[in-house]
Amino acid sequence: MAQTLTDTNFEFPGQQRVYKGKVREVYYLENNLLVMVATDRLSAFDVVMPRGIPYKGQILNQIATRMMQATEDLVPNWLLATPDPNVAVGVHCEPFKVEMVIRGYLAGHAAREYAAGKRELCGVPLPEGMRENDALPEPIITPATKAEKGDHDEDISREGILDRGLVSAEDYAVLEDYTRKLFQRGTQLAAERGLLLVDTKYEFGKTPDGRIVLIDEIHTPDSSRYFYASGYRERQQRGEAQKQLSKEFVRQWLIANGFQGKPGQEVPEMTDAYIDTVSNRYIELYEKITGVPFAGADTSDIPGRIEKNVLGYLRA
């Protein structure tokens, strides 16, 4: 089994501080430079799993890079370079304290809420008579507060965001506009690969000069859910589960083994065989989304490789 990267402890030139999130570790450097390392940690139900997934960080970073390049004509982003398969370097932005979640289908969290009898999500009404994985009449934005590591994201309405002063009305209008544009482009890109972009989330921040830009990841299996387009209607008509590419299969495995991130619950054992299965699913998603074969980076010394590549970039 390939080695994994589950923690880092770098000291880069001009380093000021480090933030360790659920999956990414962010190194803040002088001159408003930010080095974001995508680890192989796996998070589900806002809980970090005890074992890393081989190549997961590389896959997330490389998909996000491709998708930012494919959308930069629509929405500006923070990215400057990717000097290592697991690393993105960009402009340090002040992040907004909300995640912009957008949904085209009743799936995942939305479907669970709907099954519990709720007919409104984040202030957005949901029609009666829907089945899990049905297409919504039109995409809906269902924001969430951005949780710190160890906490849980919480649904919040547009009105709640404005009432709490999390985002100004002027800025929120831009976030909504950018979210819809990105989702439309993401839907088109997915369709070209025989996929349906079911739902996703975007994060935004402000650059030092006050511009709102896309930050973090975009259209990855950690932030998005995809269905295979082929056979989608037939499976819905038969009431069958959809064939999907996302980390929902991890959530379903955890639920089946009695874990949903609730107090007192323990994460079930993740065997080597199961870890390999998850890694293979991430590789499958990478190849399906990008249309190119996955080439795993050298994992014999991931921290050493990253340090060499980042230092090379910073000194260039």
Side-chain angles (χ1 to χ4, degrees):
M1 179 180 292
Q3 299 298 308
T4 60
L5 181 73
T6 56
D7 190 31
T8 70
N9 189 30
F10 298 116
E11 288 288 343
F12 297 124
Q15 185 169 312
Q16 297 175 329
R17 62 187 175 95
V18 182
Y19 168 77
K20 299 199 173 189
K22 295 167 190 167
V23 173
R24 287 167 177 76
E25 305 201 343
V26 184
Y27 289 80
Y28 296 86
L29 280 53
E30 59 190 8
N31 300 319
N32 293 314
L33 204 59
L34 184 149
V35 176
M36 182 180 290
V37 181
T39 73
D40 295 321
R41 294 195 296 263
L42 175 65
S43 170
F45 297 114
D46 296 318
V47 175
V48 176
M49 300 293 106
R51 298 187 62 186
I53 306 301
Y55 302 115
K56 176 177 174 289
Q58 176 185 347
I59 288 168
L60 295 188
N61 191 55
Q62 292 187 330
I63 291 177
T65 297
R66 285 176 173 270
M67 290 296 175
M68 285 199 174
Q69 292 170 343
T71 56
E72 61 188 359
D73 61 315
L74 289 177
V75 175
N77 63 61
W78 74 289
L79 187 65
L80 295 174
T82 51
D84 181 88
N86 286 67
V87 177
V89 177
V91 179
H92 174 205
C93 302
E94 184 64 33
F96 288 97
K97 295 180 180 179
V98 295
E99 295 178 340
M100 298 299 287
V101 181
I102 183 166
R103 306 175 185 277
Y105 296 76
L106 186 71
H109 171 66
R112 290 189 283 271
E113 294 289 282
Y114 195 89
K118 296 183 180 180
R119 293 298 179 266
E120 184 178 284
L121 188 62
C122 300
V124 181
L126 299 171
E128 291 286 350
M130 292 193 71
R131 295 184 302 172
E132 183 175 5
N133 299 332
D134 276 352
L136 292 161
E138 61 182 23
I140 62 173
I141 294 177
T142 58
T145 57
K146 183 155 177 56
E148 296 295 325
K149 184 177 179 181
D151 294 331
H152 292 268
D153 299 337
E154 294 181 0
D155 291 340
I156 189 170
S157 66
R158 177 185 185 276
E159 291 70 24
I161 290 171
L162 299 181
D163 288 346
R164 288 169 56 178
L166 298 177
V167 182
S168 71
E170 181 181 8
D171 286 348
Y172 191 80
V174 175
L175 300 189
E176 280 202 333
D177 178 56
Y178 280 177
T179 296
R180 294 192 184 282
K181 286 178 177 176
L182 289 169
F183 190 70
Q184 184 177 28
R185 176 65 58 82
T187 298
Q188 294 168 352
L189 293 170
E192 292 170 5
R193 302 295 313 146
L195 297 170
L196 303 173
L197 179 57
V198 176
D199 52 42
T200 191
K201 67 177 181 179
Y202 305 113
E203 297 185 39
F204 299 93
K206 273 193 177 181
T207 62
D209 60 3
R211 291 184 305 128
I212 296 177
V213 300
L214 176 67
I215 62 173
D216 201 43
E217 62 183 344
I218 169 177
H219 300 157
T220 73
D222 270 23
S223 66
S224 313
R225 189 188 325 268
Y226 294 88
F227 290 158
Y228 281 89
S230 177
Y232 165 78
R233 287 191 177 85
E234 292 77 7
R235 284 188 285 271
Q236 280 301 97
Q237 290 171 355
R238 293 193 296 264
E240 297 175 358
Q242 286 297 328
K243 185 179 180 184
Q244 61 176 287
L245 284 172
S246 72
K247 93 177 164 179
E248 180 67 16
F249 73 95
V250 175
R251 298 188 191 98
Q252 293 300 329
W253 179 81
L254 290 168
I255 291 171
N257 284 275
F259 183 82
Q260 295 187 59
K262 297 178 180 178
Q265 294 182 339
E266 292 187 7
V267 178
E269 180 187 3
M270 303 180 81
T271 64
D272 287 352
Y274 182 71
I275 294 293
D276 278 340
T277 298
V278 177
S279 182
N280 289 336
R281 289 288 291 270
Y282 270 93
I283 291 171
E284 177 189 4
L285 192 144
Y286 174 89
E287 294 181 339
K288 186 63 180 176
I289 290 176
T290 65
V292 298
F294 177 69
D298 181 5
T299 64
S300 59
D301 179 12
I302 305 174
R305 187 199 76 208
I306 290 174
E307 185 173 42
K308 177 184 177 181
N309 288 336
V310 172
L311 290 176
Y313 170 78
L314 294 175
R315 291 168 178 165

